[in-house]
Amino acid sequence: MRRILTAGRYFREKFGESVYKIPISISGFTCPNIDGTVARGGCVFCENESFSPNLEHNQSKRFFLHPTSENPYLEFQLIQLEAQYKKTKTRLSKKFGAQKFIIYFQSFTNTYAPLATLKALYSKALSFEGVIGLSIGTRTDSISEEVIAYLAELSKHYEIWLEYGLQSSSDETLRRINRGHGRANIEKYIALTHQYKLNICAHIIFGLPGETPEMALESVKFALNLGVHSFKFHPLYVVKRTALAMILKKVNLAPYQKRVTLKH
Amino acid sequence: MIKAINLLPEKVMVQRVSAGIEDDTLLSPSWCYVKHQQMKAIRKAFKNEGLLY
């Protein structure tokens, strides 16, 4: 029997005890394929406000970060971060006796903000009791060498992971899901991340529209060849208020039950 | 999924093999609704192939 190296096993072997992830969602973060920088609407499977009928009405009242924007809400974001940490830590400590934690910046693109904002959030997260590292969910088109270099410095003292949403290695699929970048961008920035010796986790979705299981395996091989250290495999699902939900209505799409061809 | 796992060297970590969403926003597929059942089925399928998750 082959023991798969799960996150639980990896962290227990490395730190001698279980390490628990604390997922964090900070207001103001968005993605470059939502705000119009590389596309609009976001990935077709992702629920976001782009599909809210009242988006235009709300847009003027909402603030979204951009790497070159000012950030007047940093203090609020830091308070939000601490509140989410405390709430989840308390629950995990009571339920499992958890003592070691990784702060997981999960929602949207967590390096798509001014460097000063990222430094403030990451350093605050690392200052919390029991926190031994960070896991940062992002996109390969939203990371800069400056941010990678900063994370590499942090990695000398903490467990730092960059989680890149690859989703697929097929340019055709990436276009179809409105990813806003292609395979070449993935190759370039994973190579750069490697130069700084950071831990890399690749997210791959199985069952994307137009993809066969063989194509998903090709994506896994592609990521392996780039030298990623970890994977998250996600079976595709369709949720309300997504572009995929609209397509589902039209063609009765059911992931891994029926295949569908999308035309853009 | 099993083929994907079998491609990986033993030192490569697998952090996730499932997708669960236990609320009424899920449209499809229905087997994503109850994550613990999904994980049970995945673990069983892995075991049948000699994989311990």
Side-chain angles (χ1 to χ4, degrees), chain A residues 2 4-5 231 233 238 240, chain B residues 14-15 25 27-28 50 52:
Chain A
R2 174 188 163 189
I4 298 167
L5 183 60
F231 282 91
F233 298 125
V238 185
K240 293 175 184 172
Chain B
V14 180
Q15 299 196 41
T25 62
L27 295 172
S28 180
L52 182 66

Side-chain angles (χ1 to χ4, degrees), chain A residues 1-2 4-7 9-10 21 161 217 224 229-231 233-235 237-240 245 254-255 257, chain B residues 1 4-5 7-8 10-19 21 24-29 31 50-53:
Chain A
M1 186 76 72
R2 174 188 163 189
I4 298 167
L5 183 60
T6 60
R9 290 182 185 123
Y10 171 87
K21 276 194 175 178
W161 283 83
L217 288 177
L224 274 177
H229 308 95
S230 178
F231 282 91
F233 298 125
H234 302 255
Y237 60 61
V238 185
V239 293
K240 293 175 184 172
Q257 290 168 27
Chain B
M1 186 72 74
I5 299 284
L7 287 173
L8 309 184
E10 292 197 1
K11 64 179 181 182
V12 171
M13 189 199 335
V14 180
Q15 299 196 41
R16 175 175 283 273
V17 293
S18 64
I21 177 161
D24 64 1
T25 62
L26 178 67
L27 295 172
S28 180
W31 48 262
L51 298 168
L52 182 66
Y53 188 75

Side-chain angles (χ1 to χ4, degrees), chain A residues 42-237:
Chain A
C43 297
V44 294
F45 49 79
C46 185
E47 182 190 0
N48 64 65
E49 292 185 338
S50 300
F51 298 97
S52 300
N54 58 352
L55 174 70
E56 291 303 319
H57 175 70
N58 286 338
Q59 212 164 27
S60 61
K61 297 176 184 172
R62 299 294 302 274
F63 170 77
F64 291 109
L65 290 166
H66 183 276
T68 60
S69 65
E70 297 292 316
N71 183 7
Y73 297 104
L74 179 58
E75 285 307 312
F76 171 74
Q77 291 173 323
L78 293 170
I79 291 166
Q80 199 178 29
L81 168 64
E82 186 161 10
Q84 291 179 25
Y85 156 76
K86 282 183 174 170
K87 186 179 176 186
T88 306
K89 179 193 180 257
T90 301
R91 183 176 58 79
L92 291 171
S93 298
K94 277 184 185 167
K95 193 170 180 183
F96 303 110
Q99 294 187 359
K100 282 190 167 65
F101 307 95
I102 283 183
I103 300 292
Y104 177 27
F105 290 93
Q106 182 175 29
S107 302
F108 294 100
T109 303
N110 292 285
T111 55
Y112 193 60
L115 182 60
T117 293
L118 300 178
K119 284 184 173 179
L121 288 167
Y122 299 161
S123 57
K124 175 88 173 176
L126 290 168
S127 74
F128 296 146
E129 185 189 357
V131 172
I132 55 135
L134 306 176
S135 203
I136 301 162
T138 190
R139 301 160 46 98
T140 54
D141 67 349
S142 303
I143 191 90
S144 65
E145 184 159 10
E146 208 176 13
V147 172
I148 291 174
Y150 170 65
L151 293 174
E153 277 302 306
L154 292 179
S155 73
K156 292 175 183 171
H157 307 285
Y158 300 99
E159 176 84 7
I160 306 291
W161 283 83
L162 270 170
E163 298 197 18
Y164 287 127
L166 270 60
Q167 321 310 358
S168 173
S169 62
S170 158
D171 276 331
E172 178 59 25
T173 302
L174 293 170
R175 187 195 64 76
R176 194 181 288 125
I177 65 173
N178 195 37
R179 188 70 189 162
H181 68 71
R183 174 186 172 110
N185 179 270
I186 295 171
E187 290 173 318
K188 180 178 175 181
Y189 284 95
I190 288 191
L192 185 63
T193 309
H194 262 300
Q195 283 179 28
Y196 284 85
K197 302 187 187 326
L198 283 166
N199 296 314
I200 303 167
C201 176
H203 292 225
I204 303 283
I205 298 179
F206 289 175
L208 285 169
E211 286 219 334
T212 61
E214 290 72 28
M215 290 171 78
L217 288 177
E218 281 305 311
S219 298
V220 176
K221 289 178 192 168
F222 168 75
L224 274 177
N225 288 335
L226 295 176
V228 305
H229 308 95
S230 178
F231 282 91
K232 286 188 178 177
F233 298 125
H234 302 255
L236 179 70
Y237 60 61

